Amino acid sequence: MADQRVLFVDQSGQMGGAQLSLLDIARHRRHDSAVLLLDDGPFRARLAEQGVPVSVEAGGAVGGLRQRGIGAGTLRGLLALPSLVRRVARRAARADVVYANTQKAMAVCVLGKWLHRRPVVWHLRDIVDASFFGRAQRLAIRWLSRGLTRVIANSQASADAFRALAGNAVAVDVVHNGIDPAPFDAALQRDRMALRVANGLPAGGLVVGLFSRLTPWKGQHVLMEAVSRTPGATLVLVGAALFGEDAYEAALRARAAQPDLAGRVHFLGFRADVAELMYCMDIVVHASVCAEPFGRVVVEGMLAARPVVATAAGGVTEIVEDGETGILVPPGDAGALAAALARLADAGVRENMGAHAREAAMRRFSPLAMLAAVDGIVAQVARVPPDVAAGQPRRAP
Ligand code: UDP
């Protein structure tokens, strides 16, 4: 049983993979811990529904700070930072451990350390390299990392990029996301064809689903080209444009209206019933064109007993065993994706790979194992002497 008071801090009110993972951790620790969001949104209600104490300390202009480059909001964001740092530090001082779930949250928690004097854990869910972060942002992360007590990386790929940037001063543990199999177990009891019909999807032909927010790096446009080369296939895009990527959604819709794809692409928007929807697909595809830090959707597709086609970069290569529990293809390659779909044209091949995938996902991505690892790290960090916790460099074990 957990007994340190943890303040979890997350910059977003929207539901992404990082927030779904925190939901599991915070629900497990809801009796002694709380979540502080730096922006309001649906995440707040999801936490409250699960009995997690949650509040919002609005970051306001801090939301204008970007991952890459200097934008119009940068100066306003920097000016708003001190007030936010102070307000968050006041809350942090009442906890035993401060647990930042996102990078801006990490920055706010580390900057306030001289006020709250609590150990700071960063649950790192990003690959902090030049493909995602600008130079100034990487320098800032390197500098801020000196104030961290511990890093929990969601994959070896995330851990390696962090070490390359920040060196060995902070101990880093790799803890893969665990995914609750219960909704998938329940979905597997449903009638697949009835689910398809209820969602307006065709009962026949190959039905291929991609479950991600609509943004260019998730590669929906690449999969569209692959599906256009796969006769009779239907593409289902589940997810919404969460962070102002409306132009990308408009471009996808325009491409979907062209004659070779007309009527074959379904946009379902953001959905909470992912397990059932995955189960009614023939194939679940992950098409990110950049290295994915982890890739929850890949594990979820496997739990739904689907064959998963995924791009071979980042954390995904730690999840899928190519040819056994899924098929790996190079990122950004529509031809390779189309060839992988063709390999899965046979229902028997799909069935077999899906069964292997489910067994591997159940065994390797258990939520209980993840929660035990996080609890163990939090308990260790809570015992770190205050001078070390106050930001002096630690040696890696
Ligand atoms: N997801 C969802 N509804 C949607 C689309 C996606 O709940 O309409 C979930 C998906 O099931 C997964 C998460 O969002 O759990 C995305 O996590 P992932 O690690 O794949 O990517 P991220 O969003 O963290 O980049």
Side-chain angles (χ1 to χ4, degrees), residues 359-383:
E359 184 279 321
M362 298 279 284
R363 182 166 39 80
R364 296 188 48 223
F365 300 99
S366 129
L368 292 179
M370 172 192 73
L371 295 171
V374 167
D375 280 348
I377 292 165
V378 166
Q380 283 172 25
V381 165
R383 287 198 298 270

Side-chain angles (χ1 to χ4, degrees), residues 16-18 20 213 218 238-239 269-271 274 292 295-297 300:
L20 285 161
R213 59 182 196 267
K218 292 290 188 182
V238 182
F270 182 87
R271 297 281 294 253
V274 163
E292 185 80 54
R296 290 173 63 87
V297 287
E300 291 167 349

Side-chain angles (χ1 to χ4, degrees), residues 170-193:
V170 191
V172 181
D173 295 87
V174 174
V175 179
H176 285 142
N177 280 209
I179 311 264
D180 182 4
F184 297 89
D185 297 346
L188 264 60
Q189 305 305 315
R190 302 288 302 274
D191 178 331
R192 294 186 63 215
M193 289 308 143

